[in-house]
């Protein structure tokens, strides 16, 4: 796979540092990869867009799934994951997750993460949608992500890892052979480094999180603008399954005009016995699935949307009044505070909820060691598509996937350094291509993109809505391209314009894949193609960016992922 030669319009780097590994992102995946690389005596630099603890991990409420309870097994966890993935999980990737997961969680505990325990000192486990057993470890009741983030950040600081905070990654650097040679980035504000610079390294780990900000309402923080996927596409990497965006069924409804990050009401609330009801107090998930409110998320989200359509309602309700004040205060203090801050008291009234964009099951395509189709570029966490999630992520598998695959990436980088002597190799990036840089969108384009995506590629999709979205996105793309090609003008480089440009990139790919997949599967819901079609569509959609900035879209021949590179070491069996 060769680079596209496409880069964001940005000033030339004014400073540079070198390392063995640069990790982009500071969630569970990024910090785990960094800590494991540092433990292997690799010079490691962590680059993060805000502060170390500002990524998506800190917002995770429910917990981390692993077969840690009595009577539970990795095989049972695997089966639940495959069912939720609706026929598109890579079984070997899932098997890696569920077999290596329990020990990975124990290592996380050894790192300093404290999970809730019973009076007997055992892990207190709960259930979430799609799980047939209690296997969700949680912390602080509903503050699991915050605790994991705290423990990893403290470990990073205690070990003295070099970190660059408030830094937006821009583009991948490559050497004359097309291998990874580091990244360019823009550091915001005062500090040791400022403005556009570079980190030169033969290995880059993308752990940049999701792209939920491509929609108007999302549970993702404001930094989740698809930067890693867009960077990978410009670098020539393949992305897969981007049409499978999971909309969390129970997000606090703040009005039809609410935009940006919305408060999540964890699936664990339903796991502890809360009911979904309509405006008349009638439960509507019973009879729709054997697990009722604890069905996989795509099924629950569809059930909510159907009831809303039937009743011409803007939202449904989550009723957990029977928990009582004590349970709310001790088991779900974060959610209780968020509800009360918005004028709702779940102790005495049902919570208004509606689905909102939550998690990207697809992303940068990787193999079992986290390697992408670009040599030296790795990806883990939500930015990656490992094959674990298939068409729909099983609840609380995301933290585990980030943990397990980050460890595998660190192990692979350590082996590569030992085999190839990369400690002594300082990569020499090739100069910027002569072709014009990628045109930038004006900051206000971000809101136009979000409206287009929400209306055309949200929970409910159709050929008509997707075609309209594709045309509108193409118009934004063409206007920016034509302005640059005709008179060399583009929006002023800066964080807002870079983010808007990245959002347009990932939005175009998502819509192209969703339009091609003419079926309903997992969290991809086509109103005009209601059935699941295994004969034609039990396969993956893979997209890459052409040098002319058009999209190359193809489907795999089977449900199996092809190798990321034919010259890589063989996969273990």
């Amino acid at each position: 796979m060769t680079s596209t030669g496409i880069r964001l319009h940005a000033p030339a780097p004014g400073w540079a540092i070198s390392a063995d590994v640069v990790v982009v992102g500071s969630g569970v995946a990024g910090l785990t990869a960094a800590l494991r690389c540092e433990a292997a005596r690799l010079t490691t630099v962590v680059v993060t867009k805000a502060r170390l603890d500002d990524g998506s991990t800190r917002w995770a409420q429910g917990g981390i799934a692993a077969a840690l309870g009595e009577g539970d097994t990795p095989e049972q966890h695997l089966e639940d994951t495959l069912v939720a993935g609706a026929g598109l999980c890579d079984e070997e990737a899932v098997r890696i997750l569920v077999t290596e997961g329990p020990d990975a969680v124990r290592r996380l505990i050894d790192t300093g993460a404290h999970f809730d325990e019973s009076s007997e000192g055992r892990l207190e486990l709960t259930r979430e949608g799609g799980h047939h057993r209690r296997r969700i470890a949680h912390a602080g009741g509903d503050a699991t992500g915050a605790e994991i983030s705290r423990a990893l950040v403290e470990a990073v600081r205690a070990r003295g890892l070099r970190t660059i905070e408030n830094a937006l990654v821009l583009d991948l650097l490559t050497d004359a052979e097309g291998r990874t040679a580091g990244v360019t980035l823009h550091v915001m504000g005062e500090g040791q480094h400022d403005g556009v610079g570079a980190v030169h390294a033969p290995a880059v780990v993308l752990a940049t999180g999701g792209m939920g900000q491509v929609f108007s309402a999302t549970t993702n923080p404001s930094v989740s603008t698809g930067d890693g996927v867009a960077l990978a596409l410009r670098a020539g990497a393949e992305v897969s399954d981007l049409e499978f965006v999971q909309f969390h069924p129970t997000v606090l409804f703040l009005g039809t005009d609410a935009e940006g990050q919305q408060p999540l009401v964890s699936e664990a609330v339903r796991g502890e016995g809360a009911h979904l009801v309509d405006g008349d107090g009638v439960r509507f998930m019973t009879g729709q699935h054997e697990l009722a409110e604890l069905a996989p998320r795509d099924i629950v989200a569809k059930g909510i949307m159907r009831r809303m359509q039937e009743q011409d309602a803007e939202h449904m309700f989550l009723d957990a009044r029977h928990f009582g004040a004590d349970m709310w205060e001790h088991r779900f203090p974060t959610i209780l505070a968020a509800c009360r801050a918005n004028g709702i008291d779940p102790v005495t009234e049902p919570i208004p909820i509606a689905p909102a964009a939550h998690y990207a099951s697809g992303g940068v395509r990787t193999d079992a060691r986290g390697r992408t189709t670009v040599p030296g570029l790795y990806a883990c966490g939500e930015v990656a598509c490992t094959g674990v999630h298939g068409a729909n992520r099983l609840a609380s598998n995301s933290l585990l996937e980030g943990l397990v695959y980050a460890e595998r990436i660190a192990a692979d980088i350590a082996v590569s350094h030992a085999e190839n002597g990369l400690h002594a190799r300082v990569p020499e990036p090739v100069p910027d291509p002569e072709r014009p840089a990628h045109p930038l969108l004006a900051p206000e384009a971000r809101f136009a993109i979000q409206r287009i995506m929400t209306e055309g590629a949200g929970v409910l999709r159709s050929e008509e809505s997707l075609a309209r979205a594709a045309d509108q996105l193409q118009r934004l793309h063409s206007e920016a391209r034509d302005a640059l090609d005709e008179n060399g003008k583009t929006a002023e480089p800066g964080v807002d314009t870079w983010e808007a440009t990245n959002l347009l990139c990932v939005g175009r790919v998502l819509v192209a894949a969703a339009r091609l997949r003419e079926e309903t599967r997992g969290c991809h819901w086509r109103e005009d193609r209601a059935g699941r079609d295994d004969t034609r569509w039990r396969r993956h959609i893979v997209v890459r960016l052409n040098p002319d900035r058009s999209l190359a879209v193809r489907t795999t021949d089977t449900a199996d992922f092809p190798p990321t590179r034919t010259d890589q070491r063989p996969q273990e069996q």
Side-chain angles (χ1 to χ4, degrees):
M1 183 65 62
T2 58
S3 172
T4 64
I6 301 170
R7 56 185 170 82
L8 287 175
H9 187 81
W15 55 270
I17 61 174
S18 296
D20 293 324
V21 186
V22 55
V23 177
V24 187
S26 60
V28 63
L31 294 188
T32 298
L35 287 166
R36 296 295 179 267
C37 285
E38 188 270 343
R41 299 184 178 180
L42 302 175
T43 304
T44 305
V45 173
V46 176
V47 174
T48 187
K49 194 171 179 180
R51 298 190 306 273
L52 277 180
D53 60 353
D54 267 350
S56 293
T57 291
R58 65 174 285 202
W59 299 100
Q61 295 175 345
I64 185 167
L68 295 162
E70 185 176 350
D72 198 5
T73 65
E75 198 66 29
Q76 293 176 67
H77 189 181
L78 180 140
E79 181 60 29
D80 285 345
T81 301
L82 295 180
V83 170
L88 280 187
C89 295
D90 180 283
E91 185 168 340
E92 183 56 29
V94 179
R95 194 170 296 280
I96 288 169
L97 179 85
V98 299
T99 55
E100 297 183 10
D103 283 343
V105 172
R106 295 183 184 102
R107 284 189 290 273
L108 180 61
I109 293 171
D110 291 340
T111 302
H114 301 294
F115 291 94
D116 295 336
E117 296 180 345
S118 66
S119 56
E120 293 82 22
R122 297 178 181 176
L123 281 178
E124 196 174 68
L125 304 174
T126 190
R127 275 184 68 192
E128 291 186 358
H131 293 273
H132 282 78
R133 282 191 176 272
R134 286 183 171 265
R135 64 168 66 97
I136 316 299
H138 49 84
D142 58 359
T144 309
E147 170 58 19
I148 290 174
S149 181
R150 179 206 61 76
L152 292 174
V153 168
E154 285 189 6
V156 164
R157 288 175 174 156
R159 296 180 193 181
L161 267 73
R162 188 167 192 173
T163 62
I164 304 176
E165 296 181 279
N166 301 306
L168 171 64
V169 67
L170 299 176
D171 282 304
L172 188 75
L173 295 170
T174 54
D175 63 16
E177 298 174 354
R179 289 192 57 87
T180 292
V183 292
T184 55
L185 61 155
H186 174 75
V187 181
M188 300 163 270
E190 299 296 326
Q192 183 180 358
H193 303 292
D194 200 7
V196 175
V199 181
H200 296 164
V204 171
V205 181
L206 292 180
T208 52
M211 56 183 190
Q213 290 290 329
V214 79
F215 295 98
S216 296
T218 177
T219 63
N220 291 190
S222 61
V223 295
S224 298
T225 51
D227 307 319
V229 171
L231 174 149
L233 283 162
R234 289 192 295 271
E238 293 183 344
V239 303
S240 185
D241 299 353
L242 222 62
E243 68 271 30
F244 296 117
V245 175
Q246 186 176 83
F247 286 76
H248 197 288
T250 54
V251 176
L252 186 61
F253 180 76
L254 299 180
T256 54
D257 296 329
E259 293 183 339
Q261 186 177 9
Q262 310 292 301
L264 175 67
V265 182
S266 170
E267 194 148 359
V269 178
R270 281 175 281 137
E272 296 293 349
H275 302 142
L276 285 165
V277 299
D278 60 21
D280 297 321
V282 177
R283 291 180 65 183
F284 54 86
M285 284 304 299
T286 52
Q288 292 197 36
H289 189 277
E290 61 166 333
L291 296 177
E293 283 94 350
L294 285 177
R297 287 179 178 173
D298 62 311
I299 294 172
V300 178
K302 290 170 189 175
I304 292 170
M305 293 300 297
R306 287 194 187 100
R307 197 66 156 197
M308 287 166 57
Q309 289 176 324
E310 291 169 2
Q311 300 189 346
D312 193 26
E314 295 178 337
H315 60 83
M316 290 287 109
F317 293 92
L318 186 65
D319 191 353
R321 289 174 291 180
H322 55 284
F323 284 5
D326 186 66
M327 182 172 177
W328 267 111
E329 290 167 1
H330 290 90
R331 180 67 178 86
F332 301 111
T334 306
I335 299 170
L336 178 63
C339 288
R340 285 177 170 169
N342 286 282
I344 299 150
D345 188 349
V347 177
T348 60
E349 59 187 317
I351 306 168
I353 52 89
H358 183 57
Y359 189 89
S361 293
V364 185
R365 189 166 75 81
T366 74
D367 66 7
R369 293 188 179 95
R371 299 173 296 196
T372 73
T373 51
V374 174
L377 179 64
Y378 296 79
C380 56
E382 191 173 353
V383 72
C385 183
T386 63
V388 161
H389 303 307
N392 179 54
R393 174 178 66 103
L394 181 65
S396 288
N397 267 357
S398 52
L399 291 175
L400 189 71
E401 184 202 31
L403 192 63
V404 168
Y405 281 87
E407 292 188 340
R408 294 178 71 82
I409 285 173
D412 190 76
I413 293 174
V415 169
S416 295
H417 276 68
E419 290 179 350
N420 302 319
L422 294 181
H423 275 295
R425 175 179 174 267
V426 178
E428 185 65 35
V430 296
D432 287 336
E434 295 181 1
R435 72 183 64 198
H438 197 294
L440 301 180
L441 275 68
E444 56 267 24
R446 175 176 183 145
F447 304 104
I449 294 165
Q450 291 172 333
R451 287 191 293 271
I452 291 167
M453 294 298 294
T454 299
E455 293 172 3
V459 181
L460 304 180
R461 302 167 178 174
S462 67
E463 170 57 29
E464 180 182 358
S465 75
L466 291 166
R468 184 170 61 251
D471 289 344
Q472 293 170 330
L473 294 175
Q474 182 59 38
R475 190 176 304 119
L476 291 173
H477 175 74
S478 298
E479 289 171 354
R481 178 198 61 200
D482 293 345
L484 184 64
D485 292 346
E486 291 171 8
N487 53 33
K489 292 185 178 180
T490 187
E492 188 71 22
V495 174
D496 290 344
T497 55
W498 289 321
E499 286 185 334
T501 304
N502 286 339
L503 286 171
L504 178 62
C505 179
V506 298
R508 290 176 64 215
V509 174
L510 192 162
V511 169
R515 196 174 179 187
L516 180 60
R517 184 174 290 280
E518 295 181 333
E519 65 162 353
T520 289
R521 181 187 297 271
C523 50
H524 172 65
W525 188 3
R526 287 280 297 260
E527 292 181 283
D528 55 340
R529 298 288 188 274
R532 171 172 153 176
D533 185 353
D534 279 351
T535 302
R536 292 183 58 214
W537 290 111
R538 191 166 178 258
R539 57 197 66 199
H540 304 277
I541 295 175
V542 178
V543 184
R544 61 179 175 81
L545 195 62
N546 290 322
D548 65 358
R549 306 181 193 120
S550 63
L551 301 178
V553 186
R554 67 180 176 89
T555 59
T556 58
D557 295 330
T558 68
D560 297 327
F561 275 137
T564 53
R565 285 182 60 81
T566 56
D567 60 348
Q568 288 177 338
R569 297 192 303 276
Q571 305 266 347
E572 63 268 86
Q573 299 298 315

